[in-house]
Amino acid sequence: MTATAAPPQAPAPAGPPVHKPSVRKRLVPYWLLLPGILWLLVFFVLPMVYQASTSVQTGSLEEGFQVTWHFQTYWDAFTEYYPQFLRSLLYAGTATALCLLLGYPLAYLIAFKAGRWRNLLLVLVIAPFFTSFLIRTLAWKTILADGGPVVDVLNKVGFLDVTSWLGMTEGDRVLATPLAVVCGLTYNFLPFMILPLYSSLERIDTRLHEAAGDLYAKPATVFRKVTFPLSMPGVVSGTLLTFIPASGDYVNAELLGSTDTRMIGNVIQSQYLRILDYPTAAALSFILMAIVLIMVTVYIRRAGTEDLV
Amino acid sequence: MRNPLTWLRRHLVVIAGLGTLAYMILPNVVVTVFSFNNPTGRFNYSWQEFSLDAWKDPCGVADMCGSLSLSLQIALWSTLAATALGTAIAFALVRYRFKARGAVNSLIFLPMAMPEIVMAASLLALFLNMGIQLGFWTILIAHIMFCLSFVVAAVKARVLSMDPRLEEAARDLYAGPVQTFVRVTLPIAAPGIAAGALLSFALSFDDFIITNFNSGNTVTFPMFVWGSAQRGTPVQINVIGTAMFVIAVLVVLAGQMVGNRRKKAQPK
């Protein structure tokens, strides 16, 4: 994995501008864009329009749905399912924070301390991508099984007392509790945190660390004042790449949780595929999109980095 | 090791990093170990006894290998299509100035900035409204759609870091536009294109959420695993999972060995 760190150079215009390019030449970028953009317009933008129209329809599956501009659906859907919305944001937020906490040391280790082990560690971070994530999530059922070694240890060291007090677990079991769902979410999205973190850490000139050390900064100060601020682009894109998919996920809540841990993704999935209440499902999915887009915009403004991914 | 506390503090990053790595690898270890299990019930969640049965007969479960080959086909076709479309877009965005550039950039970025379930649901809304039969083609369409952005991002990064003087040099040496592209531009962009293709293959092969919404009765491998989580998980699923992990590690390592050899062959 050679993520070549490119110096931000202005890409030179193609070809020397000796004479005004012909019409045919000016059309080249449009021909290059056409098929791909058309695909996105038809299968990404148009579906959004259809979903918008579905969300303001009323009717039933037997009699068919008509557009009646019934905006009430949005309000009804939100008031009925706001616990699931809140839960999704809470779980996704917790998982994102945990990913940052767990992912940063590993990204730091690979970028600065791994030496010749760097490539092997990167492979180990990426390899899980290629094993079906559903199989790996199911493996968590075995790991967190009631009375299994992991839960036993967590119980003995008093960890489960703390999480029970936080409302994350109940009694001495982990499976089917919020903790299991957050654990699964954290696990599933860790690579999405580590890779951006690694690529922005890797670009940092280590001479800056030496310079800070020469100026009598303690290691902790070097990290706080030099390394961490310079890794901000990675932190921002890592948290986004973790939070956005986690907020809409329903796999972890379904496989590792219980009915008390249903996230908004579970609701949308069952409304669309089981209950077949398309207007409510469409409205819920738009509310989720709006919440995520607003949060992401505010977050990007606050973090102050516009260059993403 | 004079003072264990100082030692711990000095190596805190390494310990914490390796701890995270262990957390990431643990499920793969469990999948591998349980591929040698001989479960008593329908579910393969607790260890019973060592057995090689599943490895001897990986396709012994009804419909599993069919779903696997379907997933491979879909991943292959969507990778081909998304890579072709995405590479063209990436080149247009990096190499040309044109009016709609900002709009195109946002359109590419949006699918990555949206929860997958929103895209999955909206595609279903489209297919339902248009009365399109869900199945192989709707899955393929959806996969090409979401893989596209990732290919564009990967190829763009590579083309941006390319030295434009190499192409100028080729032109100065009287290479035509086609010759310049095939002999100079494409080989330099190849790692980016390969990375985009690999990523979209992995994404498509492993996709569950979008496929779950748009597959109808068609069962891809992730759909099969999902279904088996309810009906009973055959050990063969672990065999496939283990094999995928091993193959992926071997492919990546082989790729790196080829890369290293190239680097040695042409010292800079």
Side-chain angles (χ1 to χ4, degrees):
Chain A
M1 286 295 137
T2 46
T4 39
Q9 51 182 357
V18 185
H19 51 82
K20 211 167 174 240
S22 62
V23 176
R24 236 183 89 189
K25 220 168 188 175
R26 261 188 295 143
L27 283 176
V28 169
Y30 296 103
W31 284 117
L32 284 173
L33 288 172
L34 189 71
I37 294 302
L38 211 59
W39 199 275
L40 283 182
L41 286 177
V42 176
F43 297 117
F44 177 72
V45 179
L46 191 64
M48 294 291 166
V49 177
Y50 266 101
Q51 182 158 248
S53 109
T54 305
S55 72
V56 291
Q57 288 173 351
T58 45
S60 65
L61 203 60
E62 293 79 34
E63 293 160 15
F65 293 94
Q66 272 97 38
V67 177
T68 50
W69 303 106
H70 191 263
F71 284 104
Q72 183 72 26
T73 313
Y74 278 87
W75 182 246
D76 294 344
F78 185 73
T79 46
E80 192 175 349
Y81 294 109
Y82 78 88
Q84 281 85 348
F85 274 114
L86 279 179
R87 200 177 286 142
S88 301
L89 299 179
L90 186 69
Y91 288 2
T94 313
T96 307
L98 283 173
C99 277
L100 187 60
L101 216 64
L102 292 173
Y104 208 104
L106 183 54
Y108 190 95
L109 172 69
I110 301 175
F112 297 126
K113 307 222 165 196
R116 61 202 185 90
W117 299 103
R118 183 189 264 198
N119 284 343
L120 180 73
L121 290 180
L122 272 177
V123 169
L124 288 177
V125 169
I126 297 163
F129 267 121
F130 292 86
T131 311
S132 177
F133 86 101
L134 281 171
I135 299 181
R136 286 179 286 123
T137 308
L138 282 174
W140 279 105
K141 268 191 137 135
T142 308
I143 298 168
L144 299 176
D146 297 343
V150 174
V151 175
D152 266 358
V153 169
L154 290 179
N155 212 0
K156 286 222 173 81
V157 298
F159 182 82
L160 292 186
D161 295 333
V162 180
T163 51
S164 293
W165 180 74
L166 285 169
M168 299 283 283
T169 49
E170 271 170 60
D172 57 357
R173 59 183 317 218
V174 174
L175 219 54
T177 66
L179 181 68
V181 179
V182 170
C183 168
L185 284 171
T186 308
Y187 167 76
N188 269 320
F189 296 109
L190 252 173
F192 296 92
M193 179 67 86
I194 291 172
L195 293 177
L197 278 178
Y198 164 73
S199 75
S200 71
L201 281 172
E202 189 223 36
R203 270 174 228 177
I204 295 175
D205 192 337
T206 44
R207 282 174 301 181
L208 290 171
H209 293 165
E210 287 160 25
D214 289 347
L215 295 167
Y216 297 106
K218 279 189 220 145
T221 319
V222 176
F223 178 76
R224 198 161 48 84
K225 297 228 161 162
V226 180
T227 316
F228 190 73
L230 285 173
S231 70
M232 264 322 265
V235 173
V236 172
S237 53
T239 42
L240 289 179
L241 284 175
T242 311
F243 180 80
I244 296 172
S247 64
D249 182 79
Y250 57 87
V251 175
N252 288 285
E254 177 86 28
L255 294 181
L256 302 173
S258 68
T259 46
D260 296 333
T261 60
R262 278 162 62 92
M263 293 167 70
I264 198 61
N266 301 73
V267 178
I268 297 176
Q269 195 249 10
S270 75
Q271 291 281 346
Y272 251 122
L273 302 179
R274 269 182 242 159
I275 303 169
L276 306 178
D277 181 356
Y278 299 133
T280 302
L284 284 170
S285 142
F286 268 120
I287 297 171
L288 174 66
M289 183 175 90
I291 293 175
V292 168
L293 284 183
I294 290 168
M295 289 182 74
V296 166
T297 314
V298 171
Y299 175 70
I300 293 175
R301 286 268 163 82
R302 278 281 169 84
T305 30
E306 296 281 337
D307 46 302
L308 288 161
V309 185
Chain B
M1 204 162 35
R2 290 153 306 273
N3 188 343
L5 257 178
T6 345
W7 181 86
L8 199 71
R9 238 170 64 202
R10 186 167 302 155
H11 297 280
L12 195 62
V13 176
V14 178
I15 297 165
L18 291 179
T20 304
L21 199 64
Y23 178 65
M24 293 179 74
I25 300 296
L26 182 63
N28 283 92
V29 175
V30 170
V31 169
T32 308
V33 170
F34 276 73
S35 74
F36 297 106
N37 191 15
N38 185 14
T40 43
R42 285 183 301 138
F43 290 95
N44 183 22
Y45 294 146
S46 62
W47 181 257
Q48 303 297 331
E49 58 172 349
F50 182 85
S51 148
L52 279 172
D53 292 352
W55 280 92
K56 279 185 206 141
D57 186 18
C59 282
V61 191
D63 304 331
M64 188 184 74
C65 282
S67 72
L68 196 62
S69 103
L70 181 70
S71 272
L72 284 171
Q73 281 172 43
I74 289 174
L76 197 66
W77 289 119
S78 53
T79 298
L80 281 174
T83 307
L85 300 179
T87 304
I89 294 179
F91 268 96
L93 283 175
V94 177
R95 284 305 167 80
Y96 297 90
R97 312 283 117 188
F98 51 91
K99 269 185 203 147
R101 217 161 149 265
V104 170
N105 261 321
S106 332
L107 182 61
I108 302 292
F109 177 67
L110 266 178
M112 292 191 280
M114 208 166 270
E116 212 184 329
I117 193 167
V118 177
M119 284 189 282
S122 67
L123 264 169
L124 178 62
L126 173 87
F127 293 140
L128 284 174
N129 273 290
M130 297 184 76
I132 292 171
Q133 181 79 38
L134 298 176
F136 180 86
W137 291 103
T138 52
I139 301 175
L140 190 58
I141 284 171
H143 283 202
I144 294 172
M145 188 273 288
F146 77 79
C147 288
L148 197 53
S149 300
F150 290 93
V151 175
V152 175
V155 179
K156 232 172 93 178
R158 179 74 189 180
V159 180
L160 265 173
S161 70
M162 232 164 112
D163 192 342
R165 282 173 301 183
L166 288 171
E167 286 164 301
E168 278 164 36
R171 272 192 294 270
D172 287 348
L173 296 166
Y174 296 103
V178 175
Q179 212 176 356
T180 308
F181 184 78
V182 175
R183 306 284 295 265
V184 179
T185 317
L186 210 55
I188 303 177
I193 299 173
L198 207 61
L199 189 60
S200 63
F201 188 88
L203 286 173
S204 163
F205 186 71
D206 205 18
D207 178 75
F208 172 71
I209 294 181
I210 288 187
T211 313
N212 184 214
F213 273 75
N214 294 293
S215 61
N217 294 324
T218 309
V219 180
T220 62
F221 184 64
M223 296 291 300
F224 178 84
V225 178
W226 177 256
S228 74
Q230 268 104 40
R231 292 188 310 264
T233 41
V235 187
Q236 277 81 351
I237 282 182
N238 291 47
V239 173
I240 303 293
T242 310
M244 273 151 82
F245 182 75
V246 172
I247 291 170
V249 172
L250 287 180
V251 166
V252 177
L253 287 180
Q256 263 177 2
M257 267 157 77
V258 171
N260 284 346
R261 198 170 289 169
R262 278 224 188 111
K263 252 183 225 161
K264 270 180 201 156
Q266 27 177 239
K268 278 197 174 174

